Amino acid sequence: MFESVQALIDEHRRVQEELSDPAVHADAARAKRVNRRYAELSRIVAAHEAWVAASDDLDAAREFAREDEAFAAEVPVLEEGLQAAQEKLRRLLIPRDPDDARDVIMEIKAGEGGAESALFAADLLRMYIQYAASKGWKTELLERNESDLGGYKDVQVAIKGSSSDPAQGVWAHLKYEGGVHRVQRVPATESQGRIHTSTTGVLVFPEVDEPDEIAINQNDLKIDVFRSSGPGGQSVNTTDSAVRITHLPSGIVVSMQNEKSQLQNREAGMRVLRARLLAKQQEELDAAASDARKSQIRGMDRSERIRTYNFPENRIADHRTGFKAYNLDQVMDGALEPLIASAISADEEARLAAVGSDS
Protein backbone atom coordinates (compact mmCIF):
# COMPACT_ATOMS: atom_id res chain seq x y z
CA MET A 1 0.00 0.00 0.00
CA PHE A 2 1.08 3.59 -0.67
CA GLU A 3 3.78 2.39 -3.08
CA SER A 4 4.32 5.92 -4.38
CA VAL A 5 5.11 7.42 -0.96
CA GLN A 6 8.82 6.64 -0.95
CA ALA A 7 9.32 8.38 -4.27
CA LEU A 8 7.54 11.46 -2.88
CA ILE A 9 9.64 11.36 0.30
CA ASP A 10 12.76 11.29 -1.86
CA GLU A 11 11.45 14.19 -3.93
CA HIS A 12 10.71 16.11 -0.72
CA ARG A 13 14.34 15.71 0.31
CA ARG A 14 15.56 16.92 -3.10
CA VAL A 15 13.23 19.93 -3.07
CA GLN A 16 14.40 20.81 0.45
CA GLU A 17 17.99 20.81 -0.80
CA GLU A 18 16.96 22.90 -3.80
CA LEU A 19 15.47 25.54 -1.49
CA SER A 20 18.86 25.98 0.16
CA ASP A 21 20.35 27.06 -3.18
CA PRO A 22 20.57 30.89 -3.44
CA ALA A 23 20.12 30.63 -7.22
CA VAL A 24 16.57 29.40 -6.69
CA HIS A 25 15.59 32.51 -4.74
CA ALA A 26 17.20 34.76 -7.33
CA ASP A 27 14.40 33.70 -9.69
CA ALA A 28 11.08 34.70 -8.09
CA ALA A 29 8.93 32.53 -10.37
CA ARG A 30 11.09 29.46 -9.79
CA ALA A 31 11.19 30.07 -6.03
CA LYS A 32 7.39 30.27 -5.97
CA ARG A 33 7.04 26.96 -7.84
CA VAL A 34 9.59 25.19 -5.63
CA ASN A 35 8.03 26.52 -2.42
CA ARG A 36 4.58 25.35 -3.53
CA ARG A 37 5.86 21.87 -4.29
CA TYR A 38 7.72 21.73 -0.98
CA ALA A 39 4.57 22.71 0.94
CA GLU A 40 2.52 20.07 -0.90
CA LEU A 41 5.11 17.32 -0.31
CA SER A 42 5.55 18.33 3.35
CA ARG A 43 1.88 17.54 4.02
CA ILE A 44 2.31 14.09 2.50
CA VAL A 45 5.54 13.39 4.43
CA ALA A 46 3.91 14.47 7.71
CA ALA A 47 0.84 12.31 7.02
CA HIS A 48 3.06 9.33 6.18
CA GLU A 49 5.03 9.76 9.41
CA ALA A 50 1.76 9.91 11.37
CA TRP A 51 0.55 6.73 9.64
CA VAL A 52 3.82 4.89 10.41
CA ALA A 53 3.68 6.04 14.06
CA ALA A 54 0.04 4.94 14.38
CA SER A 55 0.89 1.55 12.89
CA ASP A 56 3.84 1.10 15.27
CA ASP A 57 1.70 2.09 18.28
CA LEU A 58 -0.98 -0.43 17.31
CA ASP A 59 1.55 -3.23 16.84
CA ALA A 60 3.06 -2.47 20.26
CA ALA A 61 -0.36 -2.39 21.94
CA ARG A 62 -1.33 -5.74 20.43
CA GLU A 63 1.93 -7.28 21.60
CA PHE A 64 1.49 -5.93 25.13
CA ALA A 65 -2.16 -7.07 25.17
CA ARG A 66 -1.07 -10.67 24.68
CA GLU A 67 0.85 -10.41 27.94
CA ASP A 68 -1.39 -8.04 29.89
CA GLU A 69 -5.15 -7.71 29.27
CA ALA A 70 -5.05 -4.14 30.59
CA PHE A 71 -3.60 -3.07 27.23
CA ALA A 72 -6.41 -4.73 25.26
CA ALA A 73 -8.73 -1.75 25.74
CA GLU A 74 -6.28 0.50 23.87
CA VAL A 75 -6.30 -1.65 20.72
CA PRO A 76 -9.70 -0.52 19.29
CA VAL A 77 -8.83 3.15 19.89
CA LEU A 78 -5.48 2.74 18.16
CA GLU A 79 -7.12 0.86 15.29
CA GLU A 80 -9.43 3.83 14.72
CA GLY A 81 -6.46 6.18 14.84
CA LEU A 82 -4.60 4.10 12.28
CA GLN A 83 -7.63 4.05 9.99
CA ALA A 84 -7.96 7.84 10.22
CA ALA A 85 -4.24 8.35 9.51
CA GLN A 86 -4.48 5.96 6.57
CA GLU A 87 -7.48 7.77 5.11
CA LYS A 88 -5.78 11.17 5.44
CA LEU A 89 -2.68 9.89 3.66
CA ARG A 90 -4.78 8.27 0.95
CA ARG A 91 -6.54 11.55 0.22
CA LEU A 92 -3.28 13.48 0.10
CA LEU A 93 -1.88 11.04 -2.45
CA ILE A 94 -4.62 11.89 -4.94
CA PRO A 95 -3.10 14.20 -7.61
CA ARG A 96 -4.06 17.80 -6.87
CA ASP A 97 -5.44 20.35 -9.28
CA PRO A 98 -2.20 21.97 -10.55
CA ASP A 99 -3.81 25.41 -10.22
CA ASP A 100 -4.79 25.07 -6.54
CA ALA A 101 -2.04 27.40 -5.27
CA ARG A 102 -2.95 30.18 -7.70
CA ASP A 103 -4.70 33.44 -6.92
CA VAL A 104 -7.97 34.12 -8.72
CA ILE A 105 -9.85 36.71 -10.71
CA MET A 106 -13.58 36.60 -10.02
CA GLU A 107 -16.28 38.15 -12.16
CA ILE A 108 -19.82 38.65 -10.86
CA LYS A 109 -22.48 39.46 -13.44
CA ALA A 110 -26.14 40.42 -13.04
CA GLY A 111 -28.49 37.91 -14.66
CA GLU A 112 -32.24 37.44 -14.62
CA GLY A 113 -34.03 39.87 -12.35
CA GLY A 114 -32.87 43.26 -13.58
CA ALA A 115 -32.13 45.75 -10.80
CA GLU A 116 -32.54 43.12 -8.07
CA SER A 117 -29.96 40.86 -9.74
CA ALA A 118 -27.48 43.76 -9.88
CA LEU A 119 -28.08 44.50 -6.19
CA PHE A 120 -27.46 40.86 -5.34
CA ALA A 121 -24.22 40.98 -7.37
CA ALA A 122 -23.08 43.72 -4.97
CA ASP A 123 -24.12 41.52 -2.01
CA LEU A 124 -22.11 38.60 -3.40
CA LEU A 125 -19.07 40.82 -3.92
CA ARG A 126 -19.26 41.92 -0.29
CA MET A 127 -19.67 38.28 0.81
CA TYR A 128 -16.53 37.20 -1.05
CA ILE A 129 -14.53 40.19 0.17
CA GLN A 130 -15.55 39.37 3.77
CA TYR A 131 -14.63 35.70 3.26
CA ALA A 132 -11.27 36.69 1.77
CA ALA A 133 -10.59 38.92 4.79
CA SER A 134 -11.34 36.03 7.14
CA LYS A 135 -8.71 33.95 5.29
CA GLY A 136 -6.12 36.73 5.37
CA TRP A 137 -6.36 37.23 1.59
CA LYS A 138 -6.10 40.57 -0.19
CA THR A 139 -8.68 41.86 -2.66
CA GLU A 140 -8.33 44.35 -5.50
CA LEU A 141 -11.27 45.74 -7.46
CA LEU A 142 -10.28 45.58 -11.12
CA GLU A 143 -13.40 46.72 -12.92
CA ARG A 144 -17.00 47.63 -12.11
CA ASN A 145 -20.08 48.59 -14.08
CA GLU A 146 -22.55 50.01 -11.58
CA SER A 147 -26.33 49.95 -11.85
CA ASP A 148 -28.56 52.93 -11.14
CA LEU A 149 -29.60 51.60 -7.71
CA GLY A 150 -26.09 50.98 -6.42
CA GLY A 151 -25.64 47.38 -7.52
CA TYR A 152 -23.33 45.99 -10.19
CA LYS A 153 -24.19 44.93 -13.69
CA ASP A 154 -20.69 43.48 -13.83
CA VAL A 155 -17.78 43.60 -11.37
CA GLN A 156 -14.35 41.98 -11.40
CA VAL A 157 -12.13 41.47 -8.36
CA ALA A 158 -8.68 39.93 -7.94
CA ILE A 159 -8.18 37.84 -4.78
CA LYS A 160 -4.63 37.12 -3.65
CA GLY A 161 -3.42 34.72 -0.95
CA SER A 162 -0.09 34.45 0.84
CA SER A 163 0.31 30.73 1.55
CA SER A 164 2.64 28.56 -0.53
CA ASP A 165 0.61 25.49 0.41
CA PRO A 166 -1.68 24.53 -2.52
CA ALA A 167 -4.29 23.22 -0.07
CA GLN A 168 -4.59 26.75 1.30
CA GLY A 169 -4.60 28.41 -2.11
CA VAL A 170 -7.28 30.84 -3.22
CA TRP A 171 -8.17 28.79 -6.30
CA ALA A 172 -8.32 25.63 -4.16
CA HIS A 173 -11.23 27.21 -2.28
CA LEU A 174 -12.98 29.54 -4.71
CA LYS A 175 -12.96 27.43 -7.88
CA TYR A 176 -16.23 25.89 -6.70
CA GLU A 177 -18.04 29.25 -6.73
CA GLY A 178 -18.40 29.45 -10.51
CA GLY A 179 -21.99 29.10 -11.69
CA VAL A 180 -25.44 30.63 -11.30
CA HIS A 181 -26.42 31.84 -7.83
CA ARG A 182 -30.19 32.12 -7.28
CA VAL A 183 -31.66 34.55 -4.74
CA GLN A 184 -35.19 34.53 -3.33
CA ARG A 185 -36.18 37.64 -1.38
CA VAL A 186 -38.37 40.73 -1.36
CA PRO A 187 -36.56 43.31 -3.49
CA ALA A 188 -36.01 46.83 -2.20
CA THR A 189 -38.03 48.03 -5.19
CA GLU A 190 -41.05 45.82 -4.36
CA SER A 191 -43.88 47.76 -2.70
CA GLN A 192 -46.25 44.79 -2.27
CA GLY A 193 -43.84 42.66 -0.22
CA ARG A 194 -43.77 39.87 -2.83
CA ILE A 195 -40.84 37.47 -2.98
CA HIS A 196 -38.95 37.58 -6.25
CA THR A 197 -36.48 35.08 -7.68
CA SER A 198 -33.48 36.37 -9.60
CA THR A 199 -30.08 35.05 -10.58
CA THR A 200 -26.51 36.31 -10.63
CA GLY A 201 -23.61 34.63 -12.42
CA VAL A 202 -20.14 34.08 -10.97
CA LEU A 203 -17.05 33.23 -13.02
CA VAL A 204 -13.76 32.30 -11.35
CA PHE A 205 -10.43 32.15 -13.18
CA PRO A 206 -7.01 31.10 -11.80
CA GLU A 207 -4.64 34.03 -12.22
CA VAL A 208 -1.41 33.64 -14.17
CA ASP A 209 1.67 33.89 -11.91
CA GLU A 210 4.03 35.39 -14.48
CA PRO A 211 3.09 37.27 -17.69
CA ASP A 212 5.29 35.04 -19.88
CA GLU A 213 3.51 31.92 -18.61
CA ILE A 214 0.82 32.47 -21.24
CA ALA A 215 2.30 33.35 -24.63
CA ILE A 216 0.34 36.16 -26.28
CA ASN A 217 1.32 37.42 -29.71
CA GLN A 218 0.78 41.19 -29.82
CA ASN A 219 -0.35 40.79 -33.44
CA ASP A 220 -3.26 38.71 -32.13
CA LEU A 221 -4.58 41.63 -30.09
CA LYS A 222 -7.00 44.33 -31.21
CA ILE A 223 -6.87 47.19 -28.70
CA ASP A 224 -9.47 49.98 -28.73
CA VAL A 225 -9.56 52.99 -26.43
CA PHE A 226 -12.65 54.97 -25.52
CA ARG A 227 -13.97 57.39 -22.95
CA SER A 228 -14.95 55.95 -19.56
CA SER A 229 -18.54 56.40 -18.44
CA GLY A 230 -20.37 55.81 -15.19
CA PRO A 231 -23.97 54.98 -14.24
CA GLY A 232 -26.50 56.73 -16.43
CA GLY A 233 -23.90 57.41 -19.09
CA GLN A 234 -22.34 60.32 -17.22
CA SER A 235 -18.72 60.96 -18.18
CA VAL A 236 -16.17 59.87 -15.59
CA ASN A 237 -13.32 61.74 -17.24
CA THR A 238 -12.59 63.60 -20.42
CA THR A 239 -9.82 61.42 -21.84
CA ASP A 240 -9.90 58.14 -23.74
CA SER A 241 -8.60 56.09 -20.82
CA ALA A 242 -10.88 53.05 -21.08
CA VAL A 243 -9.45 50.04 -22.92
CA ARG A 244 -11.05 47.15 -24.82
CA ILE A 245 -8.74 44.23 -25.65
CA THR A 246 -9.87 41.60 -28.16
CA HIS A 247 -7.85 38.39 -28.47
CA LEU A 248 -8.56 37.53 -32.10
CA PRO A 249 -7.71 33.77 -32.09
CA SER A 250 -9.99 32.98 -29.13
CA GLY A 251 -12.54 35.76 -29.50
CA ILE A 252 -12.13 36.73 -25.82
CA VAL A 253 -12.92 40.40 -25.18
CA VAL A 254 -11.90 42.28 -22.03
CA SER A 255 -12.91 45.87 -21.25
CA MET A 256 -11.42 47.98 -18.46
CA GLN A 257 -12.27 51.53 -17.36
CA ASN A 258 -11.88 51.44 -13.58
CA GLU A 259 -8.56 53.33 -13.58
CA LYS A 260 -7.99 56.89 -14.80
CA SER A 261 -4.88 55.86 -16.69
CA GLN A 262 -5.06 54.09 -20.05
CA LEU A 263 -1.87 52.22 -19.14
CA GLN A 264 -3.33 50.95 -15.84
CA ASN A 265 -6.52 49.82 -17.57
CA ARG A 266 -4.48 48.03 -20.22
CA GLU A 267 -2.39 46.23 -17.57
CA ALA A 268 -5.53 45.17 -15.67
CA GLY A 269 -7.12 44.03 -18.93
CA MET A 270 -4.08 41.90 -19.78
CA ARG A 271 -4.24 40.27 -16.31
CA VAL A 272 -7.85 39.26 -16.95
CA LEU A 273 -7.09 38.15 -20.51
CA ARG A 274 -4.23 35.89 -19.35
CA ALA A 275 -6.47 34.37 -16.66
CA ARG A 276 -9.21 33.65 -19.20
CA LEU A 277 -6.74 32.14 -21.66
CA LEU A 278 -5.32 29.93 -18.88
CA ALA A 279 -8.83 28.79 -17.99
CA LYS A 280 -9.61 28.09 -21.67
CA GLN A 281 -6.39 26.09 -21.95
CA GLN A 282 -7.32 24.01 -18.90
CA GLU A 283 -10.86 23.43 -20.16
CA GLU A 284 -9.45 22.09 -23.43
CA LEU A 285 -7.18 19.72 -21.47
CA ASP A 286 -10.12 18.59 -19.34
CA ALA A 287 -12.19 17.94 -22.45
CA ALA A 288 -9.45 15.73 -23.82
CA ALA A 289 -9.10 13.81 -20.56
CA SER A 290 -11.05 10.72 -19.54
CA ASP A 291 -14.52 11.42 -18.15
CA ALA A 292 -13.65 9.36 -15.09
CA ARG A 293 -10.92 11.82 -14.18
CA LYS A 294 -13.09 14.91 -14.33
CA SER A 295 -14.01 16.53 -11.05
CA GLN A 296 -17.64 16.18 -10.04
CA ILE A 297 -17.66 19.85 -9.10
CA ARG A 298 -15.46 21.47 -11.75
CA GLY A 299 -16.93 19.39 -14.57
CA MET A 300 -20.30 21.08 -14.26
CA ASP A 301 -21.47 23.69 -16.75
CA ARG A 302 -20.76 27.18 -15.44
CA SER A 303 -24.26 28.20 -16.50
CA GLU A 304 -25.79 25.70 -14.09
CA ARG A 305 -27.54 26.87 -10.94
CA ILE A 306 -25.30 25.89 -8.05
CA ARG A 307 -26.81 27.58 -5.00
CA THR A 308 -30.00 29.16 -3.67
CA TYR A 309 -30.07 32.01 -1.15
CA ASN A 310 -33.55 32.09 0.43
CA PHE A 311 -33.80 35.22 2.59
CA PRO A 312 -37.34 34.74 4.04
CA GLU A 313 -36.25 31.35 5.48
CA ASN A 314 -32.64 32.48 6.19
CA ARG A 315 -31.68 29.34 4.23
CA ILE A 316 -28.66 28.59 2.06
CA ALA A 317 -28.62 25.47 -0.12
CA ASP A 318 -25.93 24.08 -2.42
CA HIS A 319 -27.52 21.99 -5.16
CA ARG A 320 -24.33 20.10 -6.03
CA THR A 321 -23.43 18.74 -2.62
CA GLY A 322 -26.78 18.76 -0.82
CA PHE A 323 -25.44 21.12 1.85
CA LYS A 324 -28.18 23.13 3.57
CA ALA A 325 -28.09 25.50 6.54
CA TYR A 326 -30.26 28.18 8.10
CA ASN A 327 -27.62 30.83 8.71
CA LEU A 328 -27.86 32.81 5.47
CA ASP A 329 -27.30 36.07 7.36
CA GLN A 330 -23.90 34.78 8.53
CA VAL A 331 -23.02 33.42 5.08
CA MET A 332 -23.67 36.84 3.53
CA ASP A 333 -21.22 38.23 6.08
CA GLY A 334 -18.53 35.90 4.74
CA ALA A 335 -19.08 32.66 6.71
CA LEU A 336 -18.59 30.53 3.60
CA GLU A 337 -16.22 27.91 5.01
CA PRO A 338 -18.80 25.12 5.62
CA LEU A 339 -20.18 25.53 2.08
CA ILE A 340 -16.75 25.45 0.51
CA ALA A 341 -15.68 22.53 2.73
CA SER A 342 -18.68 20.53 1.45
CA ALA A 343 -17.60 21.21 -2.15
CA ILE A 344 -13.99 20.24 -1.42
CA SER A 345 -15.16 17.02 0.24
CA ALA A 346 -17.42 16.14 -2.71
CA ASP A 347 -14.55 16.83 -5.10
CA GLU A 348 -12.19 14.59 -3.09
CA GLU A 349 -14.75 11.77 -3.04
CA ALA A 350 -15.13 12.02 -6.82
CA ARG A 351 -11.35 11.91 -7.32
CA LEU A 352 -11.04 8.96 -4.92
CA ALA A 353 -13.69 7.12 -6.90
CA ALA A 354 -11.87 7.92 -10.15
CA VAL A 355 -8.57 6.63 -8.76
CA GLY A 356 -10.32 3.50 -7.51
CA SER A 357 -11.87 2.81 -10.91
CA ASP A 358 -8.44 3.07 -12.55
CA SER A 359 -6.72 0.66 -10.15
Side-chain angles (χ1 to χ4, degrees):
M1 188 176 187
F2 305 141
E3 296 85 356
S4 62
V5 174
Q6 189 56 53
L8 294 173
I9 292 173
D10 293 341
E11 183 186 355
H12 179 263
R13 188 179 302 110
R14 291 194 300 272
V15 172
Q16 191 172 32
E17 292 172 355
E18 191 175 359
L19 282 172
S20 65
D21 183 356
V24 172
H25 301 280
D27 183 339
R30 182 184 174 192
K32 181 181 288 187
R33 289 194 301 271
V34 175
N35 270 300
R36 285 177 178 176
R37 185 57 175 162
Y38 180 72
E40 184 176 4
L41 291 170
S42 293
R43 289 166 60 87
I44 295 173
V45 170
H48 180 259
E49 290 174 349
W51 173 65
V52 170
S55 180
D56 290 344
D57 289 345
L58 178 58
D59 289 343
R62 283 171 173 168
E63 185 176 343
F64 289 140
R66 285 195 289 268
E67 301 174 0
D68 186 345
E69 291 184 1
F71 287 97
E74 296 184 20
V75 172
V77 177
L78 292 171
E79 286 176 338
E80 289 182 7
L82 177 61
Q83 186 174 1
Q86 180 174 303
E87 179 62 16
K88 181 177 181 179
L89 179 57
R90 190 164 72 99
R91 287 176 178 270
L92 287 174
L93 289 175
I94 304 170
R96 293 199 70 89
D97 181 338
D99 292 328
D100 274 352
R102 292 185 187 271
D103 300 324
V104 308
I105 291 177
M106 175 180 285
E107 182 174 2
I108 306 172
K109 301 171 70 71
E112 296 179 2
E116 168 62 11
S117 175
L119 288 171
F120 188 57
D123 291 338
L124 286 180
L125 175 64
R126 177 180 174 275
M127 178 184 77
Y128 288 122
I129 288 176
Q130 294 281 84
Y131 175 67
S134 74
K135 303 287 287 185
W137 300 338
K138 295 180 180 179
T139 55
E140 176 189 359
L141 198 62
L142 297 177
E143 176 67 356
R144 62 180 182 270
N145 181 9
E146 298 179 11
S147 68
D148 293 334
L149 296 179
Y152 290 110
K153 298 176 183 177
D154 188 358
V155 59
Q156 296 180 50
V157 59
I159 306 177
K160 184 177 182 63
S162 57
S163 175
S164 59
D165 185 351
Q168 302 303 319
V170 182
W171 174 255
H173 288 76
L174 293 183
K175 61 186 174 184
Y176 308 104
E177 295 304 299
V180 174
H181 296 241
R182 182 176 70 166
V183 58
Q184 296 172 323
R185 65 182 179 185
V186 178
T189 55
E190 171 58 58
S191 59
Q192 303 297 320
R194 293 174 297 187
I195 297 173
H196 285 222
T197 297
S198 56
T199 60
T200 300
V202 175
L203 294 172
V204 189
F205 304 99
E207 185 163 12
V208 174
D209 290 329
E210 300 293 330
D212 58 1
E213 186 180 345
I214 296 293
I216 298 177
N217 189 330
Q218 293 300 310
N219 294 328
D220 290 338
L221 300 180
K222 180 177 182 290
I223 300 178
D224 302 303
V225 295
F226 55 97
R227 189 159 297 176
S228 301
S229 61
Q234 295 179 348
S235 176
V236 172
N237 56 52
T238 57
T239 61
D240 292 336
S241 61
V243 175
R244 181 185 300 109
I245 304 173
T246 304
H247 185 250
L248 299 174
S250 65
I252 295 174
V253 180
V254 177
S255 295
M256 286 287 163
Q257 63 175 15
N258 196 51
E259 303 294 340
K260 293 182 180 180
S261 159
Q262 185 183 123
L263 178 61
Q264 289 175 309
N265 282 323
R266 177 167 176 160
E267 289 176 348
M270 289 301 294
R271 284 177 66 185
V272 174
L273 176 60
R274 291 187 195 99
R276 291 187 179 179
L277 286 173
L278 178 65
K280 185 175 185 296
Q281 185 181 90
Q282 188 58 51
E283 286 170 2
E284 290 171 352
L285 290 173
D286 287 346
S290 165
D291 289 342
R293 291 188 179 275
K294 289 182 181 177
S295 161
Q296 182 178 344
I297 302 295
R298 291 188 61 195
M300 292 184 175
D301 188 338
R302 288 183 175 180
S303 65
E304 186 172 344
R305 185 187 70 199
I306 66 166
R307 196 175 290 157
T308 293
Y309 303 73
N310 186 303
F311 279 78
E313 298 179 10
N314 198 34
R315 172 171 55 85
I316 181 79
D318 193 297
H319 305 296
R320 301 160 300 174
T321 66
F323 179 92
K324 184 184 294 185
Y326 291 84
N327 65 336
L328 178 55
D329 52 341
Q330 296 175 31
V331 169
M332 297 308 296
D333 282 336
L336 270 173
E337 199 62 41
L339 278 158
I340 289 175
S342 72
I344 291 174
S345 178
D347 197 0
E348 286 182 347
E349 291 299 330
R351 287 186 289 132
L352 280 169
V355 170
S357 66
D358 288 346
S359 59

